Amino acid sequence: MNDISTERLLQRFIRYAKIYTTSDETSDTVPTTQRQFDLARLLATELEEMGVPARVDDKGYVYAHVAENLPEDHPASGKVPAIGFVAHMDTSPDAPGEAVQPIVHRGYDGQDLVLPGDPQQVLRPEDMPELKSQVGKDLITSDGTTLLGADDKAGIAEIMEGVQRLMESPERLHGSISIAFTPDEEVGRGANHFDVDGFGARIAYTLDGDVLGKIEKETFNAHAATFKLGGYNVHPGSAKGKMINTLYAAAEIIRRLPENMRPETTEKREGYIHPRAIEGGVDRCTIRLLIRDHDLEESKRKIALLERISDEIRDLFPKVTIDLEIKESYLNMGPKIDEDPRILNVAMEACRQVGVEPFLDVIRGGTDGARLSYMGVPTPNLFTGGFNYHSVREWASLQDMEKATQMLMKIAELWVAEV
Ligand SMILES: [Zn+2]
């Protein structure tokens, strides 16, 4: 039997998961979808009800502050650095996110889990070895027709529950805690309008990871590359000596990308160059690529490779105009987080103290934390107990969510001893 606060965590998660907050890459508004305000307002209201001042800004961000509760005669009084917890409210546009019906599977028996809304959707331990450690725990899934939204509503529920428990337990001493819930993380804009000063903390943790114990302090260095090719179009019947077809040059660019630098041939700390879109016709063609590497020097080598290819194609197709543009998207947060070893040490120790063995891993992607780390708020990413994100087969483990909740409360307490 779960205790009453674990059940409250579950109900909280279900409440948030049901709210439709899918973000939209094609939208130019801030946030990209107005519906994200529905969750933002609910969270702010719930925080206020706990006695935690909270606000929703016009960009859809929720900010809240839990005051330090150290007695005045405590040696650390007024000296504990403010720390923050961050999670994102939107869910991925990659899977349906409207009318989510969370289903709680009590005491998982280790067998295949068939999702009732679409019996084709089955969670099989043989496909998902992570399920094997969940026997006896309570799992939450969708009904199979939508994603669950544990990414990142598990993180939100844990922060909200952790804050409520701290408010109910004045004997648990902590410094000042900043909370932020961001919109549009899934479309890469979660940090765009983040109010660093309003947030207040200069150290933070995103709760946006997955399996129990995993702590992530490295993201990719991410760049976007765009080739713009220009040619000349004319009726093919009278094109001799006149037409300049960019598509041949485009094909040649793609052909020269090394096979061992593709997303589908790399893993772990191996970076890639990924041609993600090509659009155009005879007279104009655009190729969009992603460059990803944990090592910045390797990223620079990949950029140099694209520049070399660009030069070669220019020689090969002298009449085609070729323009290569490289833009930085975000950088690996690892070097920023390493600047203050306490940030990770406290998280690892908090994990151990709640009975979970922590392990470090690298993210093959980015988080809000990567951008925040370069905005003056170093922000590693912590596990939430969810898994298989952006999928109708997404799931979360209630007992692992409970551990994440305990961990973040412990982090707040352990920072008092760091002074
Ligand atoms: Zn996420």
Side-chain angles (χ1 to χ4, degrees):
M1 219 15 227
N2 296 313
D3 67 40
I4 201 160
S5 52
T6 302
E7 284 305 306
R8 191 171 66 184
L9 171 64
L10 173 64
Q11 294 314 320
R12 210 182 266 295
F13 172 65
I14 290 173
R15 190 158 67 241
Y16 307 153
K18 284 181 171 174
I19 299 174
Y20 179 28
T21 58
T22 308
S23 48
D24 179 0
E25 193 176 15
T26 66
S27 163
D28 291 325
T29 62
V30 181
T32 61
T33 52
Q34 290 300 302
R35 53 184 170 251
Q36 294 180 69
F37 276 111
D38 297 344
L39 179 55
R41 289 193 196 101
L42 174 70
L43 294 171
T45 303
E46 290 189 5
L47 284 160
E48 293 278 353
E49 283 167 5
M50 294 174 201
V52 176
R55 69 187 167 98
V56 181
D57 75 4
D58 62 343
K59 308 284 196 293
Y61 291 66
V62 180
Y63 299 98
H65 295 278
V66 181
E68 175 178 311
N69 68 352
L70 298 176
E72 270 175 34
D73 58 355
H74 190 285
S77 176
K79 299 185 193 134
V80 185
I83 60 157
F85 295 109
V86 179
H88 65 90
M89 295 179 289
D90 64 318
T91 56
S92 169
D94 292 348
E98 188 171 12
V100 174
Q101 293 296 333
I103 298 177
V104 182
H105 309 261
R106 299 277 179 185
Y108 173 58
D109 62 5
Q111 301 300 306
D112 291 359
L113 270 183
V114 181
L115 303 183
D118 177 0
Q120 305 273 45
Q121 303 300 340
V122 183
L123 277 65
R124 291 191 176 87
E126 69 183 270
D127 305 335
M128 267 184 256
E130 292 75 12
L131 281 172
K132 290 177 183 159
S133 60
Q134 297 297 332
V135 175
K137 297 183 181 178
D138 301 328
L139 296 188
I140 308 135
T141 65
S142 74
D143 70 354
T145 62
T146 66
L147 48 64
L148 173 63
D151 176 12
D152 188 19
K153 289 162 182 171
I156 293 176
E158 290 152 9
I159 294 171
M160 293 290 287
E161 179 61 29
V163 166
Q164 174 136 26
R165 291 184 199 176
L166 287 175
M167 295 302 287
E168 291 166 350
S169 321
E171 74 285 359
R172 300 187 66 156
L173 301 180
H174 56 79
S176 119
I177 302 169
S178 299
I179 307 296
F181 298 123
T182 60
D184 293 333
E185 192 269 354
E186 298 290 2
V187 294
R189 301 179 208 171
N192 282 15
H193 301 281
F194 194 96
D195 175 6
V196 171
D197 291 332
F199 180 57
R202 288 294 178 274
I203 292 162
Y205 301 89
T206 43
L207 277 108
D208 192 17
D210 48 38
V211 293
L212 186 70
K214 192 200 279 186
I215 296 178
E216 295 160 311
K217 68 142 200 180
E218 284 202 71
T219 55
F220 276 138
N221 294 290
H223 295 81
T226 311
F227 282 98
K228 287 192 176 143
L229 311 185
Y232 178 66
N233 200 5
V234 60
H235 190 284
S238 53
K240 187 166 183 181
K242 294 186 196 129
M243 183 186 280
I244 303 166
N245 191 341
T246 63
L247 298 180
Y248 293 102
E252 194 58 31
I253 290 171
I254 304 281
R255 199 184 68 77
R256 289 180 185 225
L257 299 174
E259 200 177 327
N260 63 358
M261 283 189 197
R262 295 180 184 173
E264 59 269 43
T265 60
T266 52
E267 61 175 356
K268 302 195 170 98
R269 288 185 63 93
E270 298 164 337
Y272 57 73
I273 300 175
H274 173 45
R276 57 180 280 262
I278 177 163
E279 57 212 19
V282 171
D283 64 337
R284 199 168 294 140
C285 180
T286 303
I287 310 172
R288 295 179 205 284
L289 308 96
L290 304 179
I291 304 166
R292 297 287 185 267
D293 212 297
H294 292 100
D295 180 337
L296 191 55
E297 290 309 308
E298 286 298 328
S299 291
K300 288 178 186 162
R301 272 194 274 280
K302 289 186 168 67
I303 290 168
L305 171 66
L306 290 183
E307 283 164 350
R308 203 160 63 237
I309 290 175
S310 180
D311 291 342
E312 289 167 5
I313 302 303
R314 231 173 251 127
D315 289 346
L316 211 55
F317 300 88
K319 289 183 176 164
V320 175
T321 61
I322 301 177
D323 179 51
L324 171 61
E325 189 185 273
I326 308 280
K327 267 194 190 160
E328 179 188 296
S329 304
Y330 55 86
L331 294 176
N332 186 347
M333 63 189 181
K336 291 288 172 194
I337 291 166
D338 286 341
E339 285 174 12
D340 185 349
R342 297 178 300 173
I343 299 169
L344 269 190
N345 289 345
V346 165
M348 307 274 280
E349 181 56 24
C351 218
R352 286 186 204 103
Q353 289 198 17
V354 301
V356 175
E357 191 49 38
F359 64 100
L360 286 175
D361 201 0
V362 297
I363 305 174
R364 287 180 66 77
T367 64
D368 281 349
R371 298 266 304 283
L372 292 179
S373 293
Y374 284 86
M375 289 160 73
V377 190
T379 307
N381 188 34
L382 309 177
F383 75 88
T384 61
F387 202 71
N388 212 34
Y389 293 157
H390 305 189
S391 159
V392 295
R393 298 181 202 171
E394 187 183 4
W395 53 270
S397 160
L398 178 58
Q399 282 70 30
D400 295 357
M401 289 174 60
E402 171 63 32
K403 287 294 185 189
T405 306
Q406 294 173 9
M407 167 184 63
L408 74 90
M409 295 165 69
K410 190 58 83 177
I411 287 173
E413 292 181 272
L414 286 178
W415 269 100
V416 176
E418 291 294 324
V419 181

